[in-house]
Structures are given as structure tokens and as C-alpha cells.
Amino acid sequence: DGGITQSPKYLFRKEGQNVTLSCEQNLNHDAMYWYRQDPGQGLRLIYYSQIVNDFQKGDIAEGYSVSREKKESFPLTVTSAQKNPTAFYLCASISGDWHYGYTFGSGTRLTVV
Amino acid sequence: KNEVEQSPQNLTAQEGEFITINCSYSVGISALHWLQQHPGGGIVSLFMLSSGKKKHGRLIATINIQEKHSSLHITASHPRDSAVYICAVRWGGAQKLVFGQGTRLTINP
């Protein structure tokens, strides 16, 4: 079945370390997105990519980096520069014409210890 | 101030009740999405609409473009409907959505 796979589901990181969250889709979607969710707040956009080898900053990109070397993959690196990285991270994708709704991954819960 | 406002923030009801969740936005949009997030965190897209009304099973979504308002209705609610329901909008040719804060729905048996 087509979908988005995020891994791992739970991730613990020591303060000062970089960590990479995986997002893979087999939907042949052009655009992919990374969102952050904090308790009591709406999803906030970190980065998005509309085509391979191109990506744009979202509203809260500081302390994060991404790459889009393949259409299927859009990994997110949470760097040590991110001041408050503990959160729930969601990856999403959509086809280019927006005719169908978003498809979301199941999320990764990152905790800094 | 969030440009997408949902109400209520929390809603508790008894099984079988008719549920309405509201979403208001500040300027004209090209599309509005209703999403469902279960306790595990995964999000499912329920509807995408730009006008009128859509129905899927016990779920109905309506949008009034002039009033900049959308509603999500659940008929014959069931405990398995308990989740957070999120409204999100897309403006013009923008390639991203702006999300409401979500409505936490609890249906008691």
C-alpha cells in the first residue's frame, strides 16, 4: 500500500547532538513537508520541498536542516542549534495538483534528555 | 493571532449525539482541509473542500465562502470518533497550509 513512513517512532537525544528523522513516501508525490507539533498548538511548518534538489524554509526553520536528493525521501536533521527540540514531528506529502488531500506519516516523538 | 480559529477547543459528548466543530479563517482561501489526529499522533485527511458540502459516512463537511467559515459534523457519534480534529487552509497558490489549533473531541459510551 502507498503511504508515508516515518522512523523512528520515538527518539531520545542528548543535548548538543544532531539527530536525523527519516521520511519516505511511495506515493510518487512531488511535494513533501515537515511540521512540528507542540502541546496546545497547531502544526507549524519547518521546511518544505516541491521538487527534488529544492526546498524552502517554513515558519520555524532555525536549528533544522533538510535535503531532497530523491523524490521519495525528505530527511530532517535537528541540529544542536535548535533551542527547544523536544516535540512531535510530522512529515506530509501531496501530489502536485493538490487534487487530493495531504497524506501524513505517523510521526516521530523526539525527546532531548 | 492565528489566522485559523477553531471552536470549541474541547468537546465532550455522549455516544449517539450530533457533533459540530467550527472553523473560521481571516481571508479568502483556495481550499480548506479537515484532518483527524488520533491519540497515537498519526493524522488522516478527512476532507478537502473549496465550496459547498462533502459527505463521507457519518462525517459531513460544509464551507461558506462568503462568511469564511466551515463546519465538520459527525452524526450518530461513537467513542471511536474520539480524536483531535484539525482545520487547515490554503491561500491562493501557496504551497503550504495554515493550521488551526485543533478541537479535542471525546465521545463517552
Side-chain angles (χ1 to χ4, degrees), chain A residues 33 35 37 42-43 45 50 59 88 90 98-100 102 104, chain B residues 35 37 40-43 45 48 90 95-97 99-101:
Chain A
Y33 301 77
Y35 292 95
Q37 188 177 38
L43 278 73
L45 181 63
Q50 294 175 249
D59 302 315
F88 187 62
L90 281 155
W98 284 76
H99 183 70
Y100 302 101
Y102 262 42
F104 282 87
Chain B
L35 310 167
Q37 185 173 30
I43 293 180
S45 180
M48 181 175 69
R90 178 185 176 217
Q95 294 299 317
K96 58 181 182 177
L97 298 179
F99 293 80
Q101 294 177 313

Side-chain angles (χ1 to χ4, degrees), chain B residues 20-91:
Chain B
T20 296
I21 298 170
N22 297 299
C23 176
S24 297
Y25 48 91
S26 54
V27 296
I29 61 171
S30 57
L32 182 143
H33 298 247
W34 280 104
L35 310 167
Q36 180 190 56
Q37 185 173 30
H38 276 281
I43 293 180
V44 174
S45 180
L46 298 175
F47 296 103
M48 181 175 69
L49 63 165
S50 54
S51 64
K53 174 180 173 179
K54 286 190 177 180
K55 184 176 188 295
H56 186 255
R58 295 179 294 106
L59 300 177
I60 303 165
T62 63
I63 189 168
N64 185 316
I65 299 297
Q66 287 72 31
E67 294 187 5
K68 299 184 179 59
H69 180 269
S70 175
S71 293
L72 176 68
H73 305 286
I74 305 175
T75 62
S77 60
H78 190 276
R80 64 174 175 266
D81 297 325
S82 298
V84 175
Y85 291 84
I86 302 169
C87 168
V89 302
R90 178 185 176 217
W91 280 285

